[in-house]
Amino acid sequence: MSAIPTPLLSAATAIGKARHICVLTGAGISAESGVPTFRDAQTGLWAKFRPEDLATPEAFARDPRRIWDWYEWRRELVRRVEPNAGHHALVHLAGLVPKLTLVTQNVDGLHQRAGSTGVIEYHGNILRDRCSAEGTLARRSARSVTGLPECARCGELLRPDVVWFGEAIPPLTMRDADAAVADCDVFLSIGTASVVYPAAGLAANARQCGAIVIEINTEPTALTPLADFSLRGPSGEVLPQLLQALRG
Ligand code: BJW
């Protein structure tokens, strides 16, 4: 039987003592389910495009068909995949600690499909439609003038219910995430490059409020210098190991 690495043991000890854990996940946790991350140079979702050419309100206004094609392709992909060991480990972790708040930047809904509850979807959900004129969740019209998804109520174009660059995080979402960050005593950042704000600032805020910051990632990230413990490896392997160490 191989020995448990020291940072993993130290992280498990901190989690074992925690009253409230705030978890922030990013694209890396869904990578082992087969959802490409964003910034991988070869296979990432933006390998062929610059992000500002796709994930902005300006790009949608310029060429809605192109943006809808990209999102329909991603919706199909997300519907085909399953949650992995990392998603499932977080469901178990929530049952082992007094309080756990899960904030995800991911728009794929895989945490909920694994069984996590009360998930704060910081950047929205790709599977929902929102009216681009009314700003509210909306059903699709049975008929379409443009050939693109249109709002059943007002006929304007629908868009995916996600947060694009230059758009604000919905205020209630921001409030709930900030409250968890201020209250937690352990902040666990999993599978995110920690470059997109305001999500990338949550770990620093938690640390300022006195939390221990733990990172799980296959690579060093912008957060690594700030983290108390950096656990290197795929989250689908590291999280189950962490659970094992926690259970003793
Ligand atoms: C593994 C693994 C495995 C792989 N296991 N790990 C402050 C400073 C500078 C800029 C800004 C700032 N504040 C705001 C900005 C501007 C901008 C921004 O941050 N730009 C940066 C690029 C510099 N932010 C915004 O525009 C935000 N809005 C805003 O600030 O509004 C202000 C405002 C206020 C009031 C009124 C109006 C405006 C909005 C940001 C929205 C981001 N949206 C996206 C797209 C969502 C929709 C969609 O999916 O199409 O969200 S962008 C994209 O990046 C997506 C992700 O959630 C987000 C984060 O990506 P993530 O998760 O980190 O993925 P990757 O691919 O980058 O990294 C994967 C990681 O996993 C890597 O580290 C791998 O090593 C690792 N990994 N396999 C563990 N198996």
Side-chain angles (χ1 to χ4, degrees), residues 3-248:
I4 300 173
T6 311
L8 192 95
L9 269 184
S10 307
T13 303
I15 289 172
K17 290 181 187 160
R19 177 185 49 81
H20 181 183
I21 299 176
C22 180
V23 181
L24 174 69
T25 62
I29 196 165
S30 294
E32 289 154 84
S33 291
V35 182
T37 61
F38 288 90
R39 293 171 184 80
D40 183 289
Q42 309 306 323
T43 59
L45 285 168
W46 288 330
K48 294 198 184 82
F49 303 97
R50 295 184 311 141
E52 53 273 31
D53 288 340
L54 293 175
T56 67
E58 293 78 17
F60 184 69
R62 213 165 36 235
D63 193 350
R65 195 170 303 276
R66 182 183 188 206
I67 304 306
W68 262 119
D69 283 350
W70 190 55
Y71 277 99
E72 291 293 9
W73 171 76
R74 288 176 58 198
R75 281 180 172 186
E76 275 311 301
L77 191 141
V78 160
R79 287 193 184 107
R80 278 200 315 269
V81 302
E82 297 294 334
N84 65 57
H87 298 105
H88 291 300
L90 287 180
V91 180
H92 292 302
L93 181 61
L96 292 176
V97 297
K99 184 172 181 186
L100 184 146
T101 304
L102 177 51
V103 182
T104 187
Q105 297 170 85
N106 299 343
V107 297
D108 56 28
L110 286 176
H111 285 301
Q112 291 91 327
R113 280 173 57 194
S116 286
T117 52
V119 181
I120 299 175
E121 293 183 311
Y122 209 73
H123 291 156
N125 190 307
I126 197 176
L127 296 172
R128 290 192 299 257
D129 290 332
R130 173 166 26 120
C131 177
S132 60
E134 300 168 316
T136 48
L137 295 183
R139 280 185 308 104
R140 287 181 182 210
S141 164
R143 284 187 311 255
S144 169
V145 178
T146 58
L148 293 171
E150 292 168 357
C151 178
R153 258 188 320 259
C154 72
E156 289 296 325
L157 276 188
L158 293 178
R159 54 164 285 177
D161 184 32
V162 297
V163 181
W164 284 327
F165 283 111
E167 293 184 325
I169 308 300
L172 295 182
T173 304
M174 188 99 154
R175 183 201 65 186
D176 291 349
D178 286 347
V181 163
D183 183 60
C184 72
D185 34 28
V186 169
F187 186 91
L188 184 53
S189 173
I190 306 171
T192 172
S194 296
V195 294
V196 174
Y197 283 82
L202 296 178
N205 293 348
R207 198 156 200 277
Q208 237 165 16
C209 295
I212 292 173
V213 173
I214 302 169
E215 174 184 59
I216 299 177
N217 203 299
T218 48
E219 307 285 336
T221 72
L223 176 63
T224 305
L226 194 86
D228 294 283
F229 304 110
S230 279
L231 310 180
R232 254 336 125 242
S235 45
E237 292 175 20
V238 176
L239 278 167
Q241 287 165 6
L242 198 56
L243 279 187
Q244 205 185 346
L246 197 57
R247 287 175 174 136

